[in-house]
Amino acid sequence: MGCAPLPLSLLALGLAGTILAPGCGAAQGRLAHKLLHDLFANYSSALRPAEDTERALNVTLQVTLSQIIAMDERNQVLTSYLWVRQAWLDAHLAWDKDAYGGIDTIRIPSSYVWRPDIILYNNADEHFGGSVDTNVVLRSDGHIMWDTPAITKSSCKVDVSYFPFDGQQCHLTFGSWTYNGNQIDLHNRLDTGDLTDFVENVEWEVLGMPATRNVVTYGCCSEPYPDVTYTLLLRRRASFYIFNLLLPCLMISFLAPLGFYLPADSGEKVSLGVTVLLALTVFQLLVAESMPPSESVPLIGKYYIATMTMITASTALTIFIMNIHHCGPGARPVPPWARRLILHHLARVLCVCEVGESCGRPGRDDTGGTGPRDPTGDGAEPGPCPRGRCFCHHHVVLSSVGYIAGVFRRHRAAQRRAAEWKKVAKVMDRFFMWVFFLMVFLMSVLVVGKAA
């Protein structure tokens, strides 16, 4: 006769030992039943399993990081998937494996045995859920190993000063809630968390997970409380934010100096500055929505603020320069210092020339400025023509001709003054365009250098 198959309840015990010979399965199952009955006949899972109550029970802890589910920077909460392994010695659950057919290891529900109340101290889960009640592995020498998966939400102090080129340090602190160091001596099994089965995260790169053991005395109690703290070292993958937040801002900011290059008569200089300012405001709001409301302004936020300030200044200067450009015929002449500094030296450096002029030698009028020349010469009143060669001797006709010539000279002088002011505005436009281009370039270099 063959051996009968083992019941499912016995298979669930996870018997381990020597290889069974054919026909011995039923006997082995009966031995497992007897072992389970003998172990828990007088066992209580409510008491700490230590033979000497004066000595602390050693508990080792090992954490495996499986996945980073989410990092909520605004609420400063890290959601991660962990495998937590705890091991301790239960002196009341040891047996002689030779007396039970060589059974060395069994797997039983964790609710059957005493378990250390190790919890995550910096838990930020609103439901404060614990780990899954998985089976424990019980060995014949009394050693118990309990592996359990857990999705944890832990508080993490987020520093966004260098966002999106930032790195974070998130702590996972495990310890007993009711047992002090004189009752449970908690130790980390390894000096670092296990990252062998870690699933790569698209946003964060894990640089390491060192573990440290701390002994803390709290204000409520005089006994020491040991804990094990795993420090998760994270670095943000910045490619997404570079292509979606930084590069658009960089391209938009380079549009602001081009507003000075637009002709003043186009009527679009101020509109361009306001449009660029509104676009940057939208990007600034997108960054502010995902960042915690703290005093530390992120690096990209500082870049946005500096660019918006620069665009505001350029728009204000554009309004001022347009006011100079549209000076009417009744405007005062260009001051000598402005003519010498702007129309002569600065215009030559920036190569701002009128039609028919050379950038090296701008044209000069009789008054020392640039602009159209007076076709009447020095602008003096014409004297009376000689009577022998003049065909008009009537005084009224001569007076009318003199009046018309005076009006024409005044009109030409007003046009010359307006042309000088327009050139002043053009030179100032070109000067501020290069100044703001330099400012945008320097700000971009500073942001990249500070991030590096």
Side-chain angles (χ1 to χ4, degrees), residues 77-80 120 122-126 151-155 172:
V77 173
L78 171 67
T79 305
S80 55
L120 180 64
N122 55 331
N123 196 320
D125 192 355
E126 56 183 1
I151 296 178
T152 62
K153 290 185 177 181
S154 57
S155 59
L172 300 170

Side-chain angles (χ1 to χ4, degrees), residues 393-436:
H393 304 287
H394 200 279
H395 179 72
V396 177
V397 175
L398 291 177
S399 177
S400 299
V401 171
Y403 175 76
I404 294 173
V407 171
F408 179 75
R409 285 192 298 271
R410 287 192 297 271
H411 178 69
R412 295 292 294 176
Q415 284 186 333
R416 186 166 58 250
R417 288 195 300 271
E420 285 184 343
W421 282 116
K422 287 183 178 181
K423 188 170 182 180
V424 168
K426 187 175 182 179
V427 173
M428 293 178 65
D429 264 337
R430 194 67 55 86
F431 171 73
F432 285 118
M433 182 188 73
W434 290 113
V435 168
F436 279 89

Side-chain angles (χ1 to χ4, degrees), residues 57-74:
L57 179 66
N58 291 324
V59 177
T60 60
L61 179 70
Q62 177 62 29
V63 172
T64 299
L65 178 63
S66 177
Q67 185 181 2
I68 296 177
I69 299 177
M71 167 68 88
D72 188 356
E73 290 94 345
R74 188 168 186 84

Side-chain angles (χ1 to χ4, degrees), residues 161-192:
S161 300
Y162 293 94
F163 175 85
F165 306 99
D166 58 328
Q168 305 297 334
Q169 295 186 3
C170 295
H171 302 286
L172 300 170
T173 303
F174 294 90
S176 175
W177 189 252
T178 58
Y179 293 103
N180 56 51
N182 299 324
Q183 297 168 329
I184 288 183
D185 193 7
L186 183 63
H187 293 270
N188 49 302
R189 183 179 178 185
L190 299 175
D191 293 334
T192 180

Side-chain angles (χ1 to χ4, degrees), residues 18-324:
T18 59
I19 300 177
L20 299 179
C24 301
Q28 192 77 9
R30 286 192 295 270
L31 289 175
H33 265 292
K34 184 177 184 302
L35 172 61
L36 190 64
H37 180 270
D38 293 345
L39 286 177
F40 294 97
N42 296 315
Y43 181 82
S44 175
S45 61
L47 298 178
R48 184 172 61 95
E51 293 182 348
D52 186 1
T53 57
E54 299 297 328
R55 298 183 61 182
L57 179 66
N58 291 324
V59 177
T60 60
L61 179 70
Q62 177 62 29
V63 172
T64 299
L65 178 63
S66 177
Q67 185 181 2
I68 296 177
I69 299 177
M71 167 68 88
D72 188 356
E73 290 94 345
R74 188 168 186 84
N75 296 316
Q76 303 190 73
V77 173
L78 171 67
T79 305
S80 55
Y81 179 37
L82 305 176
W83 299 344
V84 182
R85 170 174 292 185
Q86 304 175 46
W88 65 94
L89 176 63
D90 194 327
H92 304 308
L93 295 179
W95 73 89
D96 183 7
K97 61 181 180 180
D98 295 332
Y100 293 93
I103 298 176
D104 183 59
T105 305
I106 60 174
R107 289 165 174 81
I108 57 177
S110 59
S111 58
Y112 284 17
V113 301
W114 174 89
R115 296 171 296 180
D117 55 346
I118 305 297
I119 65 169
L120 180 64
Y121 279 176
N122 55 331
N123 196 320
D125 192 355
E126 56 183 1
H127 302 293
F128 210 85
S131 56
V132 181
D133 288 334
T134 56
N135 290 343
V136 298
V137 180
L138 177 60
R139 290 169 45 186
S140 59
D141 56 359
H143 280 91
I144 298 178
M145 185 176 297
W146 183 27
D147 287 339
T148 176
I151 296 178
T152 62
K153 290 185 177 181
S154 57
S155 59
C156 177
K157 184 179 180 180
V158 178
D159 184 11
V160 293
S161 300
Y162 293 94
F163 175 85
F165 306 99
D166 58 328
Q168 305 297 334
Q169 295 186 3
C170 295
H171 302 286
L172 300 170
T173 303
F174 294 90
S176 175
W177 189 252
T178 58
Y179 293 103
N180 56 51
N182 299 324
Q183 297 168 329
I184 288 183
D185 193 7
L186 183 63
H187 293 270
N188 49 302
R189 183 179 178 185
L190 299 175
D191 293 334
T192 180
D194 188 5
L195 302 175
T196 306
D197 300 313
F198 177 70
V199 179
E200 292 293 333
N201 188 270
V202 295
E203 185 179 1
W204 295 95
E205 178 184 0
V206 178
L207 303 179
M209 193 178 178
T212 56
R213 179 180 182 270
N214 307 299
V215 179
V216 182
T217 302
Y218 297 97
C220 64
C221 316
S222 59
E223 298 84 2
Y225 281 83
D227 64 67
V228 175
T229 300
Y230 290 88
T231 303
L232 191 57
L233 306 178
L234 303 175
R235 183 171 61 192
R236 193 189 301 271
R237 303 181 191 270
S239 301
F240 173 82
Y241 299 97
I242 290 176
F243 284 101
N244 291 278
L245 291 179
L246 195 58
L247 282 183
C249 173
L250 185 62
M251 291 186 290
I252 290 175
S253 60
F254 270 103
L255 285 178
L258 291 178
F260 292 106
Y261 196 73
L262 275 177
D265 296 329
S266 64
E268 298 294 333
K269 295 171 71 70
V270 178
S271 300
L272 177 62
V274 173
T275 304
V276 172
L277 188 62
L278 291 177
L280 286 177
T281 304
V282 172
F283 282 102
Q284 172 70 14
L285 291 176
L286 290 176
V287 174
E289 286 179 358
S290 59
M291 294 294 101
S294 62
E295 294 183 356
S296 59
V297 181
L299 184 63
I300 191 172
K302 295 178 181 178
Y303 181 66
Y304 283 161
I305 293 297
T307 306
M308 292 168 65
T309 304
M310 183 197 68
I311 294 174
T312 302
S314 67
T315 305
L317 286 173
T318 299
I319 296 174
F320 173 72
I321 293 173
M322 287 183 65
N323 190 22
I324 295 177

